[in-house]
Amino acid sequence: MIIKESAENYLETIYVLKNKNGNVRSIDVANELGFSKPSVSVAMKKFREEGYITIDDGGHISLTKSGLEIAERIYERHEILAKALIAMGVSEDVAYEDSCKIEHDISDETFEKLKEHVMKYTK
């Protein structure tokens, strides 16, 4: 499944906000990403049409199975990459910022080997 980086960022943000706050609305996503409410609304409409999210009558966003799979995959990459960078001596802020950039482009093979290494040598 190929999905654009911006879509991955949106889905990951929904995932993180849902885990942090319990409920997520478009305004929460807009505030978190620093995007305009209309831009986020357009994206949410597209994600709903593509089957990545559902939105209830109260405007609460939930990830569908396919949306959750993408969000969890990207979130795992983000966390593992940040841990690897921190273990190499990169400051936490820079590690998380850089991991956000790398998570979308790293190959599955490289990520899996990096993950094995991080899990073996870090706690």
Side-chain angles (χ1 to χ4, degrees):
M1 153 183 13
I2 297 175
I3 185 166
K4 292 184 180 178
E5 180 178 333
S6 61
E8 291 176 340
N9 283 335
Y10 272 112
L11 295 173
E12 180 185 19
T13 298
I14 293 166
Y15 176 79
V16 169
L17 290 173
K18 182 88 168 178
N19 288 335
K20 181 180 171 186
N21 303 330
N23 291 314
V24 181
R25 295 175 307 141
S26 292
I27 191 68
D28 302 321
V29 176
N31 290 338
E32 184 70 20
L33 294 175
F35 296 162
S36 71
K37 174 83 165 74
S39 295
V40 173
S41 292
V42 168
M44 293 306 110
K45 180 180 181 210
K46 184 175 180 182
F47 293 148
R48 190 175 60 237
E49 290 170 353
E50 292 177 357
Y52 294 125
I53 66 167
T54 59
I55 302 177
D56 69 16
D57 292 337
H60 297 104
I61 302 167
S62 295
L63 295 166
T64 62
K65 183 180 177 187
S66 60
L68 183 61
E69 287 171 359
I70 294 165
E72 287 177 333
R73 187 180 110 255
I74 294 301
Y75 182 76
E76 177 187 42
R77 285 173 170 241
H78 190 113
E79 291 297 309
I80 294 291
L81 288 163
K83 285 180 184 177
L85 294 171
I86 290 166
M88 292 187 296
V90 176
S91 71
E92 187 173 335
D93 288 344
V94 172
Y96 275 95
E97 185 178 316
D98 286 348
S99 68
C100 191
K101 298 170 189 169
I102 299 167
E103 68 194 13
H104 305 284
D105 294 323
I106 192 170
S107 70
D108 290 341
E109 178 183 357
T110 300
F111 175 73
E112 286 304 318
K113 291 300 180 186
L114 184 62
K115 180 180 170 181
E116 286 174 20
H117 183 80
V118 167
M119 300 309 276
K120 184 176 181 181
Y121 294 105
T122 65
K123 294 182 181 189

